[in-house]
Structure formats: C-alpha cells, structure tokens
C-alpha cells in the first residue's frame, strides 16, 4: 500500500466526452504527478502539481488539464476524448518535486469507445 | 524531451537463470530510479542511484550507475517466478522520464 488512492478504477467513455480522474496523495506529500500509460508502454509524464500550482508539463495537448487542492489531492481532466486516450492513468505523490521517491496509486483504466 | 532507452524490450528466461536490463541516455542523468510493475499493477519503487559508478544490492538484485551517469543496469541473479514483470528505469528531476521498460518472463 502506497497511501495514494485513485478513483474511479475503471471507466468507459465515448469519444468526444469529458472525464475527471481523482487522486488522493500520501499523507504529508505536497507534490502530485500524473502519467499516462498505454498498453505495453512506459508511463508518460502529463504534468505535475506542487502546492496547488502546475510545476511542469509533458508533451500533452491543452485538453489535458489538472487541479491540485489545498489538501494536496488532485484531479486530471481530459476534454474531447479521443480513442487514443484509452490508457491507464497513474497518479503519483512525493514529498517534494525533484529527486524524491514517487509513490504510485493503483491507476484508473480509461477506455474510450 | 528527455528519452531514456532500455534494452532488451522483452526477455524470457528459465527459472534460475540470470537477467540483466540496461538503461541508456544520450544526456547525463542527474540520478536514476528503478521501478518494477507486475502485470496489471502499478510501478513500485525499487531503488535510487545518484553517484557516478554507484552499485547497490538488494538480495538477488544488483543496480549499477555508469561512471558517466549516462547508463544504468539492473541484474537479477537466479531468477524466480516472482520476478516476473516489467522493469523501468526513470530519471527524476522536476519531471520523471521513464524508460521504455523491459518485460521479464520467467519460465518455471
């Protein structure tokens, strides 16, 4: 158990819809990162939030957006879903940005049909 | 952006054989972390290497960081069926760049 929880665990959406995924970070961790992992691929960095501010972004279009709340939990929002957005979305928390170990949640499996 | 390559992509070994995965970068890495992801699971942190030439051991696992900090390796001695999974290296900075992963299958 990493103390990082994500919801929902599985969901199916239709192309063009919007989705919100949620993550509760490990207690005491102020940094949350989101990753997209397609089947058979490594996790791809989407963005990171540190103390409620975006602190880095990977090569993902603006329809991928996020939030971090005062309790350091986080949301990932994806608008105008495309079939290629089907993937495992992983949230990870860490004490601070940088070199600290990151702890992953179980992930949210998104299928876009 | 940063790209960390791993080889091989897949490896099948007989139980009891050794296994090695290599992680290579075209640029100097500030540090390297290794993760294991079981089928259907999420990545789990194994170890972090920071110093040039660093070697760390965890039971049957040996991790090395290259002298030039551009490569790293994970070696498993006498594999067991519990070692099955995909092993990722990752550079951690403000962002984490994960390698492409090596999927290990252990044949009983």
């Amino acid at each position: 158990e990493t103390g990082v929880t994500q919801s929902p665990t599985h969901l199916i959406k239709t192309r063009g819809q919007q989705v919100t995924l949620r993550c509760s970070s490990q207690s005491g961790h102020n940094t949350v990162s989101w990753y997209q992992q397609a089947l058979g691929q490594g996790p791809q960095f989407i963005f990171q939030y540190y103390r409620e501010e975006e602190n880095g972004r990977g090569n993902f279009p603006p329809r991928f957006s996020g939030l971090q709340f005062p309790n350091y939990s986080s949301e990932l929002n994806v608008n105008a879903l495309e079939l290629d957005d089907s993937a495992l979305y992983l949230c990870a928390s860490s004490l601070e940005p940088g070199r600290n170990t990151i702890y992953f949640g179980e992930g949210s499996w998104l299928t876009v049909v | 952006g940063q790209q960390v390559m791993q080889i091989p992509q897949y490896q099948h070994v007989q139980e009891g054989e050794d296994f090695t995965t290599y992680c290579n970068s075209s640029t100097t890495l500030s540090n390297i972390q290794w993760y294991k992801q079981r089928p259907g699971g999420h990545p789990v942190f194994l170890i972090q290497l920071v110093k040039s030439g660093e070697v760390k051991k965890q039971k049957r696992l040996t991790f090395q960081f290259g002298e030039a900090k551009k490569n790293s390796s994970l070696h498993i001695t006498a594999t067991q069926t519990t070692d099955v999974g995909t092993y990722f290296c990752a550079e951690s900075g403000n962002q984490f760049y994960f390698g492409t992963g090596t999927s290990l299958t252990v044949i009983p």
Side-chain angles (χ1 to χ4, degrees):
Chain A
E1 289 294 329
T2 62
V4 180
T5 58
Q6 291 186 243
S7 62
T9 54
H10 296 80
L11 70 167
I12 301 173
K13 289 285 189 177
T14 304
R15 190 171 49 183
Q17 284 188 314
Q18 177 266 344
V19 69
T20 298
L21 306 178
R22 296 178 175 83
C23 172
S24 293
S25 59
Q26 190 179 109
S27 178
H29 286 187
N30 58 26
T31 304
V32 172
S33 304
W34 286 92
Y35 296 82
Q36 180 195 65
Q37 187 174 25
L39 211 57
Q41 304 292 319
Q44 298 295 311
F45 176 77
I46 303 176
F47 43 57
Q48 181 183 84
Y49 279 84
Y50 170 59
R51 296 191 176 188
E52 303 178 59
E53 297 284 333
E54 188 177 290
N55 185 46
R57 189 179 180 92
N59 189 27
F60 280 81
R63 59 189 185 83
F64 285 77
S65 63
L67 281 174
Q68 187 179 32
F69 299 100
N71 65 356
Y72 302 134
S73 65
S74 178
E75 284 183 358
L76 164 65
N77 298 289
V78 187
N79 293 322
L81 284 167
E82 300 176 0
L83 298 179
D84 285 350
D85 295 333
S86 297
L88 174 66
Y89 288 85
L90 293 160
C91 167
S93 76
S94 59
L95 275 173
E96 287 186 0
R99 300 163 68 175
N100 296 103
T101 304
I102 59 174
Y103 298 88
F104 284 93
E106 299 285 340
S108 294
W109 286 97
L110 170 65
T111 301
V112 182
V113 298
Chain B
Q2 178 72 288
Q3 191 161 15
V4 182
M5 303 300 295
Q6 278 184 258
I7 53 171
Q9 187 175 2
Y10 301 97
Q11 185 79 59
H12 291 68
V13 299
Q14 287 289 141
E15 189 173 17
E17 290 182 338
D18 292 356
F19 159 76
T20 305
T21 173
Y22 301 90
C23 180
N24 298 293
S25 172
S26 57
T27 59
T28 302
L29 302 167
S30 56
N31 60 73
I32 198 89
Q33 296 189 352
W34 284 92
Y35 290 79
K36 176 183 178 181
Q37 186 173 21
R38 292 181 184 274
H42 61 278
V44 174
F45 172 79
L46 294 176
I47 209 159
Q48 175 170 281
L49 304 171
V50 178
K51 299 176 183 176
S52 167
E54 190 170 10
V55 178
K56 287 188 178 179
K57 292 191 176 186
Q58 287 180 352
K59 297 183 181 178
R60 294 179 295 105
L61 277 60
T62 302
F63 303 84
Q64 289 189 313
F65 202 5
E67 292 291 341
K69 298 182 78 172
K70 287 187 175 182
N71 57 71
S72 180
S73 65
L74 158 59
H75 179 81
I76 303 178
T77 304
T79 54
Q80 300 175 359
T81 54
T82 52
D83 295 327
V84 165
T86 301
Y87 292 85
F88 293 100
C89 62
E91 182 192 17
S92 63
N94 259 3
Q95 303 182 9
F96 268 69
Y97 293 101
F98 278 81
T100 45
T102 296
S103 175
L104 173 64
T105 300
V106 179
I107 304 163

